[in-house]
Amino acid sequence: MFARESTLLTTSGQVHPTIEVIEQNHIRYLRFGHNGGWQGARSLTCPDELIFPYQRAFASLTNSLPTVDRFLSIGVGIGTALRTVLHNHAACDMYGVEIDETVVNVAIEYFDSPSHRDVNYWIGDGVTFLANVELTFDLIFVDAYMRNQIYSACLEPAFATVLYAGLTDNGLAACNIISSTPPTGQVRAFLDAAQDIFAEVLLLPVGVPFAEQNTLAVLSKRAGIAQDWIQQIRSATELSWLQRVSWPNRLSGYSGKRE
């Protein structure tokens, strides 16, 4: 039986006409519009628990990295990625770009997103920010969703070049995408462009097999990161035993243009 929703907040932003904070059982959610998809979720009884599988996959990835000195989150949501990197790399210089300032304010007030003391928040288009900022990043996380779909500029083939230029020499970008297996259409075109310039492109589908699902696409300037990631997955406490066993087998290198 589904629990009834309790609405804590309904407000409007500069970009999103409706922003809602919802509670259901012990989980607090953010969504854009009454019928929009969940933009983030946090447990009220266990705040460190990562609710969505792609968040757990990203956490295991960050744990596999020896150091992250500068991190950028394109799309803040409820601040989960920012909290994860800050927890695993406490000395990291943190940046978050969000297209709607109200989302940042809601994330800090209702979801304990890191404050302005810990994160350099910027308001605007994340693609434009990365193309123009005079900084490079060791790790970039792209999780930019509108109401029910990925922000389309983040799937343009040209964005792969922007990501590459925005990374340090050994940097990597992780993108939360919705994809079939193997990827098709716009997702495949983006990954094909990434494959042309990055040393390694890895895909970890984390949803229901044989269906469109959340997939963490990792674009790395250095090859050979898969083994360290797999070792971390196998011992990651934030993962279920089934994920620890199955995800190493689901993780694969992208070979779209070489098929």
Side-chain angles (χ1 to χ4, degrees), residues 119-134:
V119 177
N120 301 286
Y121 287 108
W122 291 76
I123 306 303
D125 182 287
V127 176
T128 301
F129 172 86
L130 186 58
N132 290 280
V133 69
E134 294 182 2

Side-chain angles (χ1 to χ4, degrees), residues 11 34 54 65 72 91 93 99 104 117-118 127 139 142 197 200 202-203 214 221 226 229 236 248:
T11 187
H34 183 64
Y54 78 87
L65 303 175
L72 170 65
D93 193 11
I99 202 167
V104 174
R117 292 188 301 273
D118 297 315
V127 176
L139 176 63
V142 183
I197 54 177
E200 191 165 56
L202 301 173
L203 300 180
N214 284 91
K221 280 191 168 184
W229 190 10

Side-chain angles (χ1 to χ4, degrees), residues 70-81:
R70 186 178 291 133
F71 169 64
L72 170 65
S73 183
I74 296 180
V76 168
I78 66 168
T80 303

Side-chain angles (χ1 to χ4, degrees), residues 2-9 16 18-25 27-42 51-55 76-78 80 103 111 143-150 176 178 214:
F2 291 103
R4 238 180 122 172
E5 292 182 357
S6 171
T7 302
L8 296 186
L9 175 73
H16 304 293
T18 304
I19 297 170
E20 294 183 333
V21 177
I22 304 294
E23 281 187 9
Q24 203 175 75
N25 286 339
I27 306 294
R28 182 174 292 179
Y29 297 92
L30 175 71
R31 70 183 175 197
F32 304 147
H34 183 64
N35 294 314
W38 299 127
Q39 301 296 321
R42 195 166 194 218
I51 303 299
F52 297 143
Y54 78 87
Q55 296 170 336
V76 168
I78 66 168
T80 303
V103 174
F111 295 93
D143 191 20
Y145 275 72
M146 303 304 281
R147 188 164 174 266
N148 277 312
Q149 62 185 6
I150 299 172
N176 176 32
I178 303 294
N214 284 91

Side-chain angles (χ1 to χ4, degrees), residues 214-259:
N214 284 91
T215 297
L216 199 65
V218 177
L219 323 177
S220 177
K221 280 191 168 184
R222 61 183 174 92
I225 69 165
Q227 194 56 46
D228 287 344
W229 190 10
I230 287 172
Q231 289 179 358
Q232 179 58 42
I233 288 172
R234 286 175 173 156
S235 61
T237 57
E238 65 268 14
L239 303 182
S240 69
W241 70 268
L242 180 59
Q243 290 165 344
R244 291 195 295 270
V245 170
S246 64
W247 282 7
N249 296 320
R250 300 186 77 181
L251 177 64
S252 64
Y254 178 69
S255 58
K257 295 189 77 172
R258 297 170 190 154
E259 290 175 350

